[in-house]
Amino acid sequence: MAKKYQVDLLNGNIFRSLIIYALPLVGTNVLQLLFNSVDVFVLGFMVGDEAVAAVGSVGALINLVIGLFTGLAVGANVAVALCVGRGDREKSERIVGMSVIISVVAGIIIAAIGVAFGRTFLEWMSCDAAVIDLAAKYLRIYFIGMPIMMLYNFVAAILRAVGDTLRPFLFLIVAGIINLGLNVFFIAAAGMDVDGVAIATVVSQGVSAALGIIALVKQKGYGHLSAKKIRIYKAELTEILKVGIPAGLQGCIFSITNVMIQSYINGFGKDAMAGGAIASQFEGIIFQAMDGVSLSCLAFTGQNNGAGKFDRIKKVVRAGALVIVGIGVVFGAMLFGVAELLYPKLTKSAEVAAIARNRLVILLSTYFLCGLMGELSNVIRGLGKSVTAMAVTFFGSCVIRIVWLQIAVPIWYKIETVYLSYPISWIITVLMHLVIYEVLIKKIIKQAETEPTNPLTE
């Protein structure tokens, strides 16, 4: 039954398979983003700029706290994909069973950290006093729901690893409809504000997680969830951690620098926070679309690495880059136009709209570089070099941004100077990843010709 949902990543036309596989994943990523975007838009229409600023200002912090643990889902994805490439069904089932435990435990840890220290983190980020109470209220509820959200992340990662991106997309369509309905109900009927949209997000994500678990239980072959296999396996846990911890740390690196950037933005005041929150919703759509292709390249690389089809991996990289650049250019132009039409609906302040517009001019014109950075990082990770991918990202996206913020912002004290830290770091990181990839793929092909390799060896 599940076979009809799966794409063959090991055979056939790569460009066609990549598109078929990536489209539902792009849709899934965009829908996940829309959980937060719907929160922001509904609050903008029905509550006001302070509520928008409160929700918009916590995104970087949320990503920072959950970054390490979502990296473990990437580790599970790569481990299962390698099993598919090698034809090891038994090991795949052990990884799936163990992933349930990891996801729930990780969610509980995140919830405890978020509830206990959420407001303290906001104070460290110089969150505006006018919105910090609302932001803290939203964070508290959001983090309480983290065990549910982490479970869905792992379920979706496993389904992607076996070539199934369609069902996670369908699950989120259902959840998205529920989220929108509950948002309107809690605000319009129950008189709530940010707490209402947070509850709506948690409940709707719970629905998608439940549907995902049912899918894994019914899954035949790779990716099947058996109650007998829900326990910890030392060897499989080690494999997941080898990929997952560096991937999670890389996510944390991004989030740390984004938190720092958000702190600089907060320093320009409430209007800057609200303008950034509005613009980030449009940026998020294009990022998630490109990230869907990037994650597709991870699954393709993982399976083909396990099967030893290295020439196919090189074709995947070229096809993925072409699609990402196309998305960046076309979607960037379209979203800028849509944003122009929606500014009057999203804010009553001309200053807030101007700040959002200036940010989009800088970022949407260069966002394809961010997509290429993510693709190359995931390909390197799929080749078993997760620590390498993390190290390059640390220098290019963390060190470079910090240097720019520390040197350039005091000289040209404008919010646009803060925004320029993104494209500058993307260019440098893409170039570094490209050099590493070319050296690595040649080395792996040469080694495969002379001796067996372990794709997970760093």
Short mmCIF file of all heavy atoms in Angstrom, two decimals, residues 266-334:
data_model
loop_
_atom_site.label_atom_id
_atom_site.label_comp_id
_atom_site.label_asym_id
_atom_site.label_seq_id
_atom_site.Cartn_x
_atom_site.Cartn_y
_atom_site.Cartn_z
N ASN A 266 16.08 44.24 17.43
CA ASN A 266 15.30 44.69 18.59
C ASN A 266 15.79 46.05 19.09
O ASN A 266 15.00 46.87 19.58
CB ASN A 266 15.37 43.67 19.72
CG ASN A 266 14.67 42.36 19.37
OD1 ASN A 266 13.95 42.27 18.37
ND2 ASN A 266 14.87 41.34 20.20
N GLY A 267 17.09 46.28 18.95
CA GLY A 267 17.65 47.54 19.41
C GLY A 267 17.18 48.74 18.62
O GLY A 267 17.31 49.89 19.09
N PHE A 268 16.61 48.51 17.43
CA PHE A 268 16.07 49.62 16.63
C PHE A 268 14.62 49.92 16.99
O PHE A 268 14.03 50.83 16.40
CB PHE A 268 16.18 49.28 15.13
CG PHE A 268 17.57 49.41 14.57
CD1 PHE A 268 18.45 48.34 14.59
CD2 PHE A 268 18.01 50.61 14.05
CE1 PHE A 268 19.73 48.45 14.08
CE2 PHE A 268 19.29 50.74 13.53
CZ PHE A 268 20.16 49.66 13.55
N GLY A 269 14.04 49.15 17.94
CA GLY A 269 12.72 49.49 18.43
C GLY A 269 11.59 48.60 17.95
O GLY A 269 11.78 47.68 17.16
N LYS A 270 10.40 48.91 18.45
CA LYS A 270 9.22 48.09 18.20
C LYS A 270 8.84 48.05 16.72
O LYS A 270 8.43 47.00 16.21
CB LYS A 270 8.05 48.63 19.03
CG LYS A 270 6.79 47.79 18.96
CD LYS A 270 5.75 48.28 19.94
CE LYS A 270 5.31 49.71 19.64
NZ LYS A 270 4.23 50.17 20.54
N ASP A 271 8.97 49.18 16.02
CA ASP A 271 8.63 49.20 14.59
C ASP A 271 9.55 48.28 13.80
O ASP A 271 9.12 47.59 12.87
CB ASP A 271 8.74 50.63 14.04
CG ASP A 271 7.57 51.51 14.45
OD1 ASP A 271 6.58 50.95 14.99
OD2 ASP A 271 7.65 52.73 14.27
N ALA A 272 10.83 48.28 14.15
CA ALA A 272 11.78 47.40 13.47
C ALA A 272 11.44 45.93 13.72
O ALA A 272 11.55 45.09 12.82
CB ALA A 272 13.21 47.69 13.94
N MET A 273 11.03 45.61 14.95
CA MET A 273 10.64 44.24 15.27
C MET A 273 9.42 43.81 14.46
O MET A 273 9.39 42.71 13.89
CB MET A 273 10.35 44.12 16.77
CG MET A 273 11.57 44.30 17.66
SD MET A 273 11.14 44.44 19.42
CE MET A 273 10.44 42.82 19.72
N ALA A 274 8.41 44.68 14.38
CA ALA A 274 7.20 44.35 13.65
C ALA A 274 7.48 44.25 12.15
O ALA A 274 7.00 43.33 11.47
CB ALA A 274 6.12 45.40 13.91
N GLY A 275 8.29 45.18 11.60
CA GLY A 275 8.63 45.13 10.19
C GLY A 275 9.40 43.88 9.83
O GLY A 275 9.15 43.24 8.80
N GLY A 276 10.34 43.51 10.70
CA GLY A 276 11.10 42.28 10.48
C GLY A 276 10.22 41.05 10.55
O GLY A 276 10.40 40.09 9.79
N ALA A 277 9.26 41.06 11.48
CA ALA A 277 8.35 39.92 11.62
C ALA A 277 7.50 39.74 10.36
O ALA A 277 7.29 38.62 9.90
CB ALA A 277 7.45 40.12 12.83
N ILE A 278 7.02 40.84 9.80
CA ILE A 278 6.21 40.77 8.58
C ILE A 278 7.05 40.26 7.41
O ILE A 278 6.67 39.35 6.68
CB ILE A 278 5.59 42.14 8.26
CG1 ILE A 278 4.52 42.50 9.30
CG2 ILE A 278 5.00 42.15 6.85
CD1 ILE A 278 3.99 43.91 9.19
N ALA A 279 8.24 40.85 7.23
CA ALA A 279 9.10 40.46 6.10
C ALA A 279 9.53 39.00 6.22
O ALA A 279 9.61 38.28 5.22
CB ALA A 279 10.33 41.36 6.05
N SER A 280 9.79 38.55 7.43
CA SER A 280 10.29 37.19 7.61
C SER A 280 9.29 36.13 7.17
O SER A 280 9.67 35.01 6.82
CB SER A 280 10.69 36.96 9.08
OG SER A 280 9.55 36.99 9.92
N GLN A 281 8.00 36.48 7.20
CA GLN A 281 7.00 35.52 6.75
C GLN A 281 7.14 35.26 5.25
O GLN A 281 7.01 34.11 4.79
CB GLN A 281 5.58 36.02 7.06
CG GLN A 281 5.36 36.43 8.50
CD GLN A 281 5.87 35.41 9.50
OE1 GLN A 281 5.56 34.23 9.42
NE2 GLN A 281 6.66 35.88 10.45
N PHE A 282 7.44 36.28 4.47
CA PHE A 282 7.64 36.11 3.03
C PHE A 282 8.98 35.44 2.74
O PHE A 282 9.07 34.57 1.87
CB PHE A 282 7.55 37.48 2.33
CG PHE A 282 6.21 38.14 2.47
CD1 PHE A 282 6.01 39.13 3.42
CD2 PHE A 282 5.14 37.75 1.67
CE1 PHE A 282 4.77 39.73 3.56
CE2 PHE A 282 3.90 38.34 1.81
CZ PHE A 282 3.71 39.34 2.75
N GLU A 283 10.00 35.83 3.48
CA GLU A 283 11.31 35.17 3.34
C GLU A 283 11.19 33.69 3.65
O GLU A 283 11.79 32.83 2.99
CB GLU A 283 12.32 35.79 4.28
CG GLU A 283 12.64 37.25 4.06
CD GLU A 283 13.27 37.85 5.30
OE1 GLU A 283 13.84 37.10 6.11
OE2 GLU A 283 13.19 39.08 5.45
N GLY A 284 10.42 33.40 4.70
CA GLY A 284 10.29 32.02 5.13
C GLY A 284 9.70 31.13 4.05
O GLY A 284 10.09 29.96 3.92
N ILE A 285 8.78 31.67 3.27
CA ILE A 285 8.17 30.86 2.21
C ILE A 285 9.22 30.44 1.19
O ILE A 285 9.31 29.26 0.80
CB ILE A 285 7.03 31.65 1.53
CG1 ILE A 285 5.87 31.85 2.51
CG2 ILE A 285 6.55 30.92 0.27
CD1 ILE A 285 4.77 32.75 1.99
N ILE A 286 10.03 31.38 0.74
CA ILE A 286 11.04 31.04 -0.27
C ILE A 286 12.13 30.14 0.33
O ILE A 286 12.63 29.23 -0.33
CB ILE A 286 11.65 32.33 -0.89
CG1 ILE A 286 12.47 31.99 -2.13
CG2 ILE A 286 12.50 33.09 0.10
CD1 ILE A 286 12.89 33.22 -2.91
N PHE A 287 12.47 30.38 1.60
CA PHE A 287 13.47 29.52 2.23
C PHE A 287 12.96 28.09 2.33
O PHE A 287 13.67 27.13 2.02
CB PHE A 287 13.82 30.03 3.63
CG PHE A 287 14.66 29.06 4.42
CD1 PHE A 287 16.02 28.95 4.18
CD2 PHE A 287 14.08 28.21 5.36
CE1 PHE A 287 16.79 28.04 4.89
CE2 PHE A 287 14.85 27.30 6.07
CZ PHE A 287 16.21 27.22 5.82
N GLN A 288 11.72 27.92 2.77
CA GLN A 288 11.18 26.57 2.93
C GLN A 288 11.04 25.87 1.60
O GLN A 288 11.21 24.64 1.51
CB GLN A 288 9.83 26.64 3.65
CG GLN A 288 9.91 27.12 5.09
CD GLN A 288 10.72 26.20 5.99
OE1 GLN A 288 11.04 25.08 5.61
NE2 GLN A 288 11.07 26.67 7.17
N ALA A 289 10.71 26.61 0.54
CA ALA A 289 10.63 26.00 -0.78
C ALA A 289 12.00 25.47 -1.20
O ALA A 289 12.13 24.33 -1.66
CB ALA A 289 10.11 27.01 -1.79
N MET A 290 13.04 26.28 -1.04
CA MET A 290 14.39 25.84 -1.40
C MET A 290 14.88 24.74 -0.47
O MET A 290 15.57 23.82 -0.89
CB MET A 290 15.34 27.04 -1.38
CG MET A 290 15.06 28.06 -2.45
SD MET A 290 16.32 29.37 -2.60
CE MET A 290 16.27 30.08 -0.95
N ASP A 291 14.51 24.84 0.81
CA ASP A 291 14.94 23.83 1.77
C ASP A 291 14.32 22.48 1.46
O ASP A 291 14.91 21.43 1.73
CB ASP A 291 14.56 24.27 3.19
CG ASP A 291 15.21 23.40 4.25
OD1 ASP A 291 16.45 23.24 4.22
OD2 ASP A 291 14.49 22.86 5.12
N GLY A 292 13.10 22.49 0.88
CA GLY A 292 12.50 21.23 0.45
C GLY A 292 13.34 20.53 -0.58
O GLY A 292 13.52 19.30 -0.54
N VAL A 293 13.91 21.29 -1.53
CA VAL A 293 14.80 20.71 -2.53
C VAL A 293 16.11 20.26 -1.87
O VAL A 293 16.65 19.20 -2.19
CB VAL A 293 15.09 21.72 -3.65
CG1 VAL A 293 16.01 21.12 -4.70
CG2 VAL A 293 13.78 22.18 -4.30
N SER A 294 16.60 21.06 -0.94
CA SER A 294 17.83 20.73 -0.23
C SER A 294 17.69 19.42 0.54
O SER A 294 18.58 18.55 0.49
CB SER A 294 18.19 21.87 0.73
OG SER A 294 19.29 21.54 1.53
N LEU A 295 16.57 19.26 1.25
CA LEU A 295 16.33 18.02 1.98
C LEU A 295 16.14 16.83 1.04
O LEU A 295 16.48 15.69 1.37
CB LEU A 295 15.11 18.18 2.89
CG LEU A 295 15.29 19.09 4.10
CD1 LEU A 295 13.96 19.32 4.81
CD2 LEU A 295 16.31 18.51 5.08
N SER A 296 15.58 17.10 -0.14
CA SER A 296 15.45 16.05 -1.14
C SER A 296 16.83 15.55 -1.56
O SER A 296 17.05 14.33 -1.70
CB SER A 296 14.69 16.58 -2.36
OG SER A 296 13.40 17.01 -2.02
N CYS A 297 17.75 16.48 -1.75
CA CYS A 297 19.12 16.11 -2.12
C CYS A 297 19.78 15.28 -1.02
O CYS A 297 20.60 14.39 -1.30
CB CYS A 297 19.94 17.35 -2.43
SG CYS A 297 19.41 18.23 -3.92
N LEU A 298 19.43 15.56 0.24
CA LEU A 298 19.95 14.77 1.35
C LEU A 298 19.49 13.32 1.24
O LEU A 298 20.30 12.38 1.37
CB LEU A 298 19.48 15.36 2.68
CG LEU A 298 19.80 14.56 3.94
CD1 LEU A 298 21.30 14.50 4.18
CD2 LEU A 298 19.10 15.17 5.16
N ALA A 299 18.19 13.10 0.99
CA ALA A 299 17.67 11.74 0.88
C ALA A 299 18.26 11.03 -0.34
O ALA A 299 18.65 9.85 -0.25
CB ALA A 299 16.15 11.78 0.79
N PHE A 300 18.33 11.72 -1.48
CA PHE A 300 18.92 11.12 -2.68
C PHE A 300 20.38 10.73 -2.43
O PHE A 300 20.83 9.65 -2.80
CB PHE A 300 18.85 12.11 -3.85
CG PHE A 300 17.58 12.04 -4.65
CD1 PHE A 300 16.42 12.64 -4.18
CD2 PHE A 300 17.54 11.39 -5.86
CE1 PHE A 300 15.25 12.60 -4.92
CE2 PHE A 300 16.37 11.33 -6.61
CZ PHE A 300 15.21 11.94 -6.14
N THR A 301 21.12 11.63 -1.79
CA THR A 301 22.54 11.36 -1.52
C THR A 301 22.69 10.19 -0.56
O THR A 301 23.54 9.32 -0.76
CB THR A 301 23.22 12.61 -0.94
OG1 THR A 301 23.09 13.70 -1.84
CG2 THR A 301 24.70 12.35 -0.70
N GLY A 302 21.86 10.15 0.49
CA GLY A 302 21.95 9.07 1.46
C GLY A 302 21.72 7.71 0.84
O GLY A 302 22.49 6.76 1.05
N GLN A 303 20.62 7.58 0.06
CA GLN A 303 20.33 6.29 -0.55
C GLN A 303 21.40 5.89 -1.56
O GLN A 303 21.86 4.74 -1.59
CB GLN A 303 18.96 6.31 -1.21
CG GLN A 303 17.79 6.20 -0.24
CD GLN A 303 16.50 5.77 -0.94
OE1 GLN A 303 16.52 5.24 -2.05
NE2 GLN A 303 15.37 5.99 -0.27
N ASN A 304 21.80 6.82 -2.42
CA ASN A 304 22.78 6.50 -3.45
C ASN A 304 24.17 6.30 -2.88
O ASN A 304 24.97 5.54 -3.44
CB ASN A 304 22.78 7.59 -4.53
CG ASN A 304 21.58 7.49 -5.45
OD1 ASN A 304 21.54 6.67 -6.35
ND2 ASN A 304 20.56 8.30 -5.19
N ASN A 305 24.47 6.94 -1.76
CA ASN A 305 25.73 6.68 -1.07
C ASN A 305 25.74 5.24 -0.55
O ASN A 305 26.73 4.53 -0.68
CB ASN A 305 25.90 7.67 0.07
CG ASN A 305 27.28 7.61 0.71
OD1 ASN A 305 28.25 7.15 0.10
ND2 ASN A 305 27.38 8.08 1.95
N GLY A 306 24.63 4.84 0.05
CA GLY A 306 24.53 3.46 0.53
C GLY A 306 24.65 2.44 -0.58
O GLY A 306 25.21 1.35 -0.39
N ALA A 307 24.13 2.80 -1.78
CA ALA A 307 24.18 1.88 -2.91
C ALA A 307 25.46 2.01 -3.73
O ALA A 307 25.68 1.25 -4.68
CB ALA A 307 22.98 2.13 -3.82
N GLY A 308 26.32 2.98 -3.38
CA GLY A 308 27.57 3.17 -4.11
C GLY A 308 27.40 3.82 -5.47
O GLY A 308 28.29 3.69 -6.34
N LYS A 309 26.31 4.54 -5.71
CA LYS A 309 26.05 5.18 -7.00
C LYS A 309 26.50 6.65 -6.95
O LYS A 309 25.68 7.57 -6.88
CB LYS A 309 24.58 5.07 -7.36
CG LYS A 309 24.11 3.63 -7.55
CD LYS A 309 22.66 3.57 -8.05
CE LYS A 309 22.24 2.14 -8.35
NZ LYS A 309 20.87 2.06 -8.92
N PHE A 310 27.81 6.86 -7.00
CA PHE A 310 28.36 8.19 -6.78
C PHE A 310 28.18 9.12 -7.98
O PHE A 310 28.03 10.33 -7.81
CB PHE A 310 29.84 8.08 -6.41
CG PHE A 310 30.07 7.21 -5.20
CD1 PHE A 310 30.75 6.01 -5.31
CD2 PHE A 310 29.57 7.58 -3.96
CE1 PHE A 310 30.94 5.19 -4.21
CE2 PHE A 310 29.77 6.77 -2.85
CZ PHE A 310 30.44 5.58 -2.98
N ASP A 311 28.19 8.57 -9.19
CA ASP A 311 27.94 9.42 -10.36
C ASP A 311 26.52 9.97 -10.31
O ASP A 311 26.27 11.10 -10.75
CB ASP A 311 28.14 8.62 -11.65
CG ASP A 311 29.61 8.38 -11.96
OD1 ASP A 311 30.44 9.14 -11.43
OD2 ASP A 311 29.92 7.43 -12.71
N ARG A 312 25.59 9.20 -9.79
CA ARG A 312 24.21 9.67 -9.65
C ARG A 312 24.13 10.81 -8.64
O ARG A 312 23.33 11.74 -8.80
CB ARG A 312 23.31 8.51 -9.24
CG ARG A 312 21.82 8.80 -9.29
CD ARG A 312 21.00 7.53 -9.06
NE ARG A 312 19.59 7.81 -8.97
CZ ARG A 312 18.78 7.93 -10.01
NH1 ARG A 312 19.26 7.79 -11.24
NH2 ARG A 312 17.49 8.19 -9.84
N ILE A 313 24.96 10.77 -7.61
CA ILE A 313 24.99 11.85 -6.63
C ILE A 313 25.42 13.16 -7.29
O ILE A 313 24.85 14.23 -7.02
CB ILE A 313 25.94 11.50 -5.46
CG1 ILE A 313 25.37 10.34 -4.65
CG2 ILE A 313 26.16 12.72 -4.56
CD1 ILE A 313 26.29 9.82 -3.56
N LYS A 314 26.42 13.10 -8.17
CA LYS A 314 26.86 14.32 -8.86
C LYS A 314 25.75 14.91 -9.71
O LYS A 314 25.58 16.14 -9.79
CB LYS A 314 28.10 14.00 -9.72
CG LYS A 314 29.34 13.66 -8.89
CD LYS A 314 30.60 13.68 -9.72
CE LYS A 314 30.67 12.49 -10.65
NZ LYS A 314 31.97 12.44 -11.38
N LYS A 315 24.96 14.06 -10.34
CA LYS A 315 23.82 14.54 -11.14
C LYS A 315 22.74 15.15 -10.24
O LYS A 315 22.09 16.12 -10.62
CB LYS A 315 23.25 13.39 -11.96
CG LYS A 315 24.20 12.87 -13.03
CD LYS A 315 23.60 11.69 -13.77
CE LYS A 315 24.57 11.13 -14.82
NZ LYS A 315 24.02 9.95 -15.51
N VAL A 316 22.57 14.58 -9.05
CA VAL A 316 21.60 15.13 -8.08
C VAL A 316 22.00 16.54 -7.69
O VAL A 316 21.15 17.45 -7.61
CB VAL A 316 21.51 14.23 -6.83
CG1 VAL A 316 20.77 14.94 -5.70
CG2 VAL A 316 20.81 12.92 -7.17
N VAL A 317 23.28 16.77 -7.44
CA VAL A 317 23.76 18.09 -7.05
C VAL A 317 23.47 19.12 -8.13
O VAL A 317 22.99 20.23 -7.85
CB VAL A 317 25.27 18.06 -6.73
CG1 VAL A 317 25.81 19.46 -6.47
CG2 VAL A 317 25.53 17.17 -5.50
N ARG A 318 23.75 18.77 -9.38
CA ARG A 318 23.50 19.71 -10.48
C ARG A 318 22.01 19.99 -10.65
O ARG A 318 21.61 21.15 -10.82
CB ARG A 318 24.10 19.15 -11.78
CG ARG A 318 25.63 19.13 -11.78
CD ARG A 318 26.16 18.92 -13.19
NE ARG A 318 25.84 17.57 -13.68
CZ ARG A 318 26.64 16.51 -13.55
NH1 ARG A 318 27.79 16.63 -12.90
NH2 ARG A 318 26.31 15.35 -14.05
N ALA A 319 21.20 18.95 -10.60
CA ALA A 319 19.75 19.13 -10.76
C ALA A 319 19.18 19.96 -9.61
O ALA A 319 18.35 20.86 -9.82
CB ALA A 319 19.06 17.77 -10.84
N GLY A 320 19.62 19.67 -8.39
CA GLY A 320 19.14 20.41 -7.23
C GLY A 320 19.50 21.88 -7.29
O GLY A 320 18.68 22.75 -6.97
N ALA A 321 20.72 22.17 -7.72
CA ALA A 321 21.16 23.57 -7.82
C ALA A 321 20.32 24.33 -8.84
O ALA A 321 19.93 25.48 -8.62
CB ALA A 321 22.64 23.63 -8.20
N LEU A 322 20.02 23.69 -9.96
CA LEU A 322 19.21 24.33 -11.00
C LEU A 322 17.81 24.67 -10.47
O LEU A 322 17.30 25.78 -10.68
CB LEU A 322 19.10 23.40 -12.21
CG LEU A 322 18.29 23.94 -13.40
CD1 LEU A 322 18.93 25.21 -13.96
CD2 LEU A 322 18.18 22.86 -14.49
N VAL A 323 17.21 23.72 -9.78
CA VAL A 323 15.86 23.95 -9.24
C VAL A 323 15.89 25.05 -8.17
O VAL A 323 15.00 25.92 -8.13
CB VAL A 323 15.29 22.64 -8.66
CG1 VAL A 323 13.94 22.90 -7.98
CG2 VAL A 323 15.13 21.60 -9.75
N ILE A 324 16.88 25.03 -7.31
CA ILE A 324 16.97 26.02 -6.23
C ILE A 324 17.13 27.44 -6.78
O ILE A 324 16.47 28.37 -6.31
CB ILE A 324 18.13 25.66 -5.28
CG1 ILE A 324 17.73 24.49 -4.38
CG2 ILE A 324 18.55 26.87 -4.43
CD1 ILE A 324 18.85 23.92 -3.56
N VAL A 325 18.00 27.61 -7.76
CA VAL A 325 18.18 28.95 -8.35
C VAL A 325 16.88 29.41 -9.00
O VAL A 325 16.47 30.58 -8.87
CB VAL A 325 19.33 28.95 -9.36
CG1 VAL A 325 19.38 30.27 -10.11
CG2 VAL A 325 20.66 28.70 -8.66
N GLY A 326 16.19 28.50 -9.69
CA GLY A 326 14.92 28.85 -10.30
C GLY A 326 13.89 29.29 -9.27
O GLY A 326 13.20 30.31 -9.46
N ILE A 327 13.80 28.56 -8.16
CA ILE A 327 12.88 28.93 -7.10
C ILE A 327 13.24 30.28 -6.52
O ILE A 327 12.38 31.14 -6.30
CB ILE A 327 12.89 27.86 -5.98
CG1 ILE A 327 12.23 26.57 -6.48
CG2 ILE A 327 12.16 28.36 -4.73
CD1 ILE A 327 12.34 25.42 -5.50
N GLY A 328 14.54 30.48 -6.27
CA GLY A 328 14.98 31.73 -5.65
C GLY A 328 14.65 32.95 -6.49
O GLY A 328 14.13 33.95 -5.98
N VAL A 329 14.90 32.86 -7.78
CA VAL A 329 14.66 34.01 -8.67
C VAL A 329 13.17 34.24 -8.89
O VAL A 329 12.66 35.36 -8.72
CB VAL A 329 15.39 33.81 -10.02
CG1 VAL A 329 15.02 34.92 -10.99
CG2 VAL A 329 16.90 33.76 -9.81
N VAL A 330 12.44 33.19 -9.26
CA VAL A 330 11.02 33.35 -9.61
C VAL A 330 10.18 33.65 -8.37
O VAL A 330 9.39 34.60 -8.35
CB VAL A 330 10.50 32.08 -10.33
CG1 VAL A 330 9.00 32.20 -10.58
CG2 VAL A 330 11.24 31.87 -11.64
N PHE A 331 10.34 32.83 -7.34
CA PHE A 331 9.56 33.04 -6.12
C PHE A 331 9.91 34.37 -5.47
O PHE A 331 9.04 35.03 -4.89
CB PHE A 331 9.78 31.90 -5.12
CG PHE A 331 8.91 30.71 -5.35
CD1 PHE A 331 8.51 30.35 -6.62
CD2 PHE A 331 8.48 29.94 -4.29
CE1 PHE A 331 7.71 29.25 -6.84
CE2 PHE A 331 7.67 28.83 -4.49
CZ PHE A 331 7.29 28.48 -5.77
N GLY A 332 11.19 34.76 -5.52
CA GLY A 332 11.60 36.02 -4.92
C GLY A 332 10.85 37.19 -5.52
O GLY A 332 10.34 38.07 -4.80
N ALA A 333 10.77 37.22 -6.86
CA ALA A 333 10.05 38.30 -7.54
C ALA A 333 8.56 38.27 -7.21
O ALA A 333 7.94 39.31 -6.96
CB ALA A 333 10.26 38.20 -9.05
N MET A 334 7.99 37.07 -7.22
CA MET A 334 6.55 36.95 -6.96
C MET A 334 6.21 37.39 -5.54
O MET A 334 5.24 38.13 -5.32
CB MET A 334 6.11 35.50 -7.18
CG MET A 334 6.12 35.05 -8.63
SD MET A 334 5.76 33.28 -8.79
CE MET A 334 4.16 33.18 -8.01
#
